[in-house]
Amino acid sequence: MADDVPEPRVRQAVAADLDTLCRIEALAALSPWDRSRFEDSLARHRMLVLQANREVAGFAVFREVLDEAELLNIAVHPACRRHGGGRRLLRACRDGLAGGTRCLHLEVRAGNAPAIALYLSEGFQRVGLRRSYYPAPGGREDAVLMRLDLP
Ligand SMILES: CC(C)(COP(=O)(O)OP(=O)(O)OC[C@H]1O[C@@H](n2cnc3c(N)ncnc32)[C@H](O)[C@@H]1OP(=O)(O)O)[C@@H](O)C(=O)NCCC(=O)NCCS
């Protein structure tokens, strides 16, 4: 990266980000969240965005329930992938969890190799499988359940 281009940073999402997040989601997910889901998440959950220069390049949504947390969604704009943004967002979620949180859960399509590679490289373990959980083109797709145990 050139010296005068600032590193991408992660910040809290605000309402003005939602149009961009919907656009990224539409490019990223097989069954994209609609706008109301983002509005609901902004109100009820924790939502972070990846800010690359002036552009929002990705987001992550997670929630905390008692001493556990769940990653609900994460995506990086296709044009911005493989530059460390997904890892940066995931680490920001982990680092933003309340003290005393025991673990971070998620579920991911079994065929989503990029996301599974990211999660495994960040210490998540496979802890279960939900057969035919997701709708998929031409049928259904299994969900892999993963968990990161926190110190
Ligand atoms: C999963 C996703 C968020 C990763 O974002 P990203 O910014 O490209 O990820 P990073 O650049 O931080 O990559 C981190 C690691 O993930 C793994 N990874 C990411 N993309 C990969 C790919 N296409 N193939 C294999 N491994 C990949 C690698 O281990 C990578 O580390 P490396 O670059 O040092 O090899 C992005 O691919 C995405 O938005 N996918 C669509 C939405 C989605 O599937 N979300 C997950 C829902 S559960």
Side-chain angles (χ1 to χ4, degrees):
M1 192 169 280
D3 287 347
D4 55 349
V5 178
E7 283 280 303
R9 67 187 178 91
V10 174
R11 61 166 173 79
Q12 301 289 332
V14 295
D17 295 318
L18 293 188
D19 287 345
T20 307
L21 303 197
C22 290
R23 279 199 292 276
I24 293 172
E25 170 74 351
L27 294 168
L30 278 176
S31 306
W33 284 13
D34 62 17
R35 190 185 171 88
S36 68
R37 190 103 189 255
F38 280 102
E39 288 168 351
D40 188 55
S41 290
L42 188 64
R44 296 173 50 214
H45 305 317
R46 311 268 304 275
M47 193 185 284
L48 304 176
V49 298
L50 180 72
Q51 179 91 41
N53 211 357
R54 293 199 181 155
E55 306 290 329
V56 170
F59 65 88
V61 183
F62 62 104
R63 68 176 166 197
E64 294 165 299
V65 180
L66 301 175
D67 59 354
E68 299 192 352
E70 182 181 13
L71 183 72
L72 299 171
N73 202 349
I74 183 169
V76 171
H77 190 290
C80 303
R81 290 183 191 160
R82 294 313 293 266
H83 292 289
R87 193 185 301 285
R88 201 178 281 254
L89 280 164
L90 188 58
R91 288 184 177 177
C93 292
R94 179 199 63 197
D95 295 345
L97 294 173
T101 306
R102 286 189 305 116
C103 55
L104 178 58
H105 294 274
L106 61 83
E107 59 193 34
V108 54
R109 288 177 183 267
N112 191 345
I116 291 173
L118 166 62
Y119 301 141
L120 290 173
S121 74
E122 286 296 308
F124 282 79
Q125 296 181 312
R126 290 188 179 85
V127 292
L129 192 73
R130 288 202 181 110
R131 296 248 177 240
S132 302
Y133 184 72
Y134 292 111
R140 311 279 305 174
E141 185 172 5
D142 295 343
V144 177
L145 310 185
M146 305 188 79
R147 189 182 70 218
L148 176 69
D149 291 320
L150 299 165

